Amino acid sequence: MLQIRWHSRAGQGAVTGAKALADVMARTGKYVQAYSVYGAEKRGAPMSAYDKIDDKPILDHSKWMTPDYVLVIDPSLVFQEEIVDNTKDDTIFIVTSHMNKDDLLNIAKHLQGKKLYVVDAIKISQEEIGRAIPNTPMLGAFMKISQLIPFEDFLVSIKDILSKFPQKIIDGNIRAIKRAYEEVK
């Protein structure tokens, strides 16, 4: 089973991103779960969301996991050691930051020795969507790193998922996804 944990602040779209990823993967015939954990938090409070993806029915509905991927979509949360809780030696971290990987590792010592990729999903979302909602750029970076499904197949599904929005929003999100796919390092 593939397990993904998202760390963000309320309002940044982690719940929507987790649900969109689950929707895309369900369309490929996979069994999925997407859920979040937060209390009566206000916008901006730290929270987490989760995805589970498998070829067979998923019977475990708990939030406890040892994630294969950790997606950190708020730059300030990179410095909280909780992001490495319950991870494995081969867990892959994809974080949004304006810093390059080496500078980030010099500050966030708890990430040293981890498989780490960096993308500035905040900047990309501001420039392409017009708002700091970094969930779709993070999905683009995740698709590049995970190679879970062909990128073109992902784009077809995500365009369909976004079809309830005005074309301007769809176009901005697709540009953000493609840009993060290219810029993640």
Side-chain angles (χ1 to χ4, degrees):
M1 176 180 351
L2 184 68
Q3 299 179 50
I4 302 146
R5 186 172 68 208
W6 300 65
H7 291 273
S8 75
R9 294 195 178 276
Q12 292 181 313
V15 174
T16 303
K19 288 179 180 178
L21 177 59
D23 193 353
V24 167
M25 296 313 298
R27 292 168 185 231
T28 70
K30 300 285 187 187
Y31 291 90
V32 298
Q33 287 182 7
Y35 51 95
S36 56
V37 176
Y38 53 92
E41 312 291 359
K42 292 183 177 180
R43 185 175 194 74
M47 54 84 56
S48 52
Y50 305 84
D51 282 295
K52 293 179 182 177
I53 303 165
D54 206 346
D55 291 326
K56 55 187 187 275
I58 302 168
L59 303 177
D60 176 12
H61 296 283
S62 71
K63 75 172 189 170
W64 306 110
M65 65 167 53
T66 51
D68 300 290
Y69 291 89
V70 173
L71 310 181
V72 183
I73 67 174
D74 185 274
S76 68
L77 297 178
V78 170
F79 304 104
Q80 294 188 0
E81 292 189 24
E82 292 83 30
I83 67 170
V84 299
D85 286 352
N86 300 319
T87 58
K88 306 177 282 191
D89 290 339
D90 62 346
T91 297
I92 296 171
F93 291 80
I94 306 172
V95 302
T96 187
S97 178
H98 68 281
M99 292 188 230
N100 67 44
K101 189 185 310 186
D102 292 334
D103 290 343
L104 186 60
L105 287 171
N106 283 332
I107 298 170
K109 304 278 188 209
H110 55 283
L111 289 173
Q112 290 181 352
K114 304 290 185 183
K115 295 179 183 178
L116 175 67
Y117 295 88
V118 178
V119 64
D120 196 344
I122 298 277
K123 178 182 175 185
I124 291 170
S125 66
Q126 287 174 323
E127 292 177 358
E128 301 299 342
I129 303 168
R131 296 179 60 200
I133 310 278
N135 58 350
T136 53
M138 190 58 76
L139 284 171
F142 174 72
M143 283 294 125
K144 172 77 174 262
I145 302 309
S146 71
Q147 297 291 302
L148 204 53
I149 61 173
F151 188 58
E152 290 305 317
D153 293 350
F154 171 78
L155 288 175
V156 168
S157 290
I158 205 74
K159 283 178 188 175
D160 188 49
I161 292 165
L162 294 171
S163 66
K164 63 185 174 186
F165 295 107
Q167 193 61 46
K168 178 181 176 183
I169 301 293
I170 297 168
D171 294 344
N173 276 279
I174 297 302
R175 284 191 312 270
I177 289 167
K178 288 178 177 178
R179 193 168 148 195
Y181 184 90
E182 294 301 324
E183 292 181 19
V184 66
K185 298 178 182 136

